[in-house]
Amino acid sequence: MAAGIAHEIRNPLTSLKGFVQLMEKDGMRKPEYFSIMSSELARIEMIVSELLVLAKPHTAVFEARDLTNLITHVVTLLETEAILKKVMIQVVFESEVPLIHCDQNQLKQAFINFLKNGIEATAGNGEIVIRLRCEDDRVVIRFEDNGVGIPAHQLARLGEAFFTTKETGTGLGLMVSRKIIENHRGTLRLISTPGNGTAVEVCLPISS
């Protein structure tokens, strides 16, 4: 883990150091230099922020919440991004969903991560279906996309720090999301077949 962190942070630091040296040597301050440097700094900031969540999660505030409203809010937040990337999002309530005992801000963070991953996987001509249903004493939420899918050998490693199928990903987002679900006494399962898309299935206990 320490080696992975060092590697991921050293790469953008090397780029930043190179641009600073270039500007010092030639006195050149091209706009594109600052754009790249800002991008690299943002990447370092993202890595550090996600590591802080893993190392010291925010104190959870558990209350009875309406999962229907929470999902609707998450979709509203990412709707514009989905439209720009030509992805259609559909929400299907397969049964009435009771209140669940949760920290809505933490769950929102996890759900946003799942939905963003789906949008990125299907960008161009995609469709994401979010399904909610009750099963005995739990609520099941599935994020299903029609993307290219993930091979079994990669699927088994998703959730490891710094393993990702995305060009600019860190793998920490899924790790943080899994921790959030586990803190809610829930389970997280990834199902994928190359060519048939990917589903993220979250099971959470219902409030008593």
Side-chain angles (χ1 to χ4, degrees), residues 129-131 133 140-144 189 191 199-201:
V129 181
I130 305 173
R131 302 183 187 276
R133 69 177 186 276
V140 179
I141 310 105
R142 280 177 64 98
F143 297 79
E144 304 172 352
R189 189 162 68 109
I191 309 106
V200 178
E201 184 177 273

Side-chain angles (χ1 to χ4, degrees), residues 62-124:
F62 284 79
E63 297 176 326
R65 294 292 184 178
D66 186 338
L67 199 56
T68 302
N69 289 342
L70 197 156
I71 289 291
T72 301
H73 184 60
V74 167
V75 172
T76 301
L77 285 174
L78 295 179
E79 203 163 29
T80 301
E81 181 179 343
I83 291 171
L84 290 173
K85 293 187 176 180
K86 298 181 181 179
V87 177
M88 184 175 69
I89 302 173
Q90 180 183 4
V91 182
V92 179
F93 299 103
E94 298 181 345
S95 63
E96 188 174 342
V97 179
L99 299 179
I100 65 166
H101 202 57
C102 69
D103 181 310
Q104 67 170 358
N105 289 325
Q106 287 193 2
L107 278 189
K108 190 183 297 181
Q109 180 183 352
F111 292 164
I112 286 173
N113 182 56
F114 301 147
L115 191 52
K116 282 180 72 71
N117 285 346
I119 291 171
E120 290 172 8
T122 60

Side-chain angles (χ1 to χ4, degrees), residues 45-55 113 170-173 176:
E45 184 180 32
M46 179 182 67
I47 292 169
V48 172
S49 297
E50 290 178 328
L51 286 170
L52 285 173
V53 172
L54 286 171
N113 182 56
T170 64
L172 293 172
V176 170

Side-chain angles (χ1 to χ4, degrees), residues 4-60:
I5 295 168
H7 177 74
E8 289 296 324
I9 292 180
R10 184 176 60 186
N11 284 344
L13 283 176
T14 300
S15 296
L16 289 167
K17 183 180 177 181
F19 279 112
V20 169
Q21 290 174 338
L22 191 62
M23 287 190 292
E24 285 179 340
K25 181 180 179 180
D26 299 334
M28 299 175 66
R29 298 194 176 190
K30 295 182 178 179
E32 57 264 33
Y33 288 179
F34 294 103
S35 175
I36 295 171
M37 291 170 73
S38 294
S39 175
E40 296 294 77
L41 285 168
R43 178 170 174 79
I44 293 172
E45 184 180 32
M46 179 182 67
I47 292 169
V48 172
S49 297
E50 290 178 328
L51 286 170
L52 285 173
V53 172
L54 286 171
K56 189 179 180 181
H58 299 296
T59 303

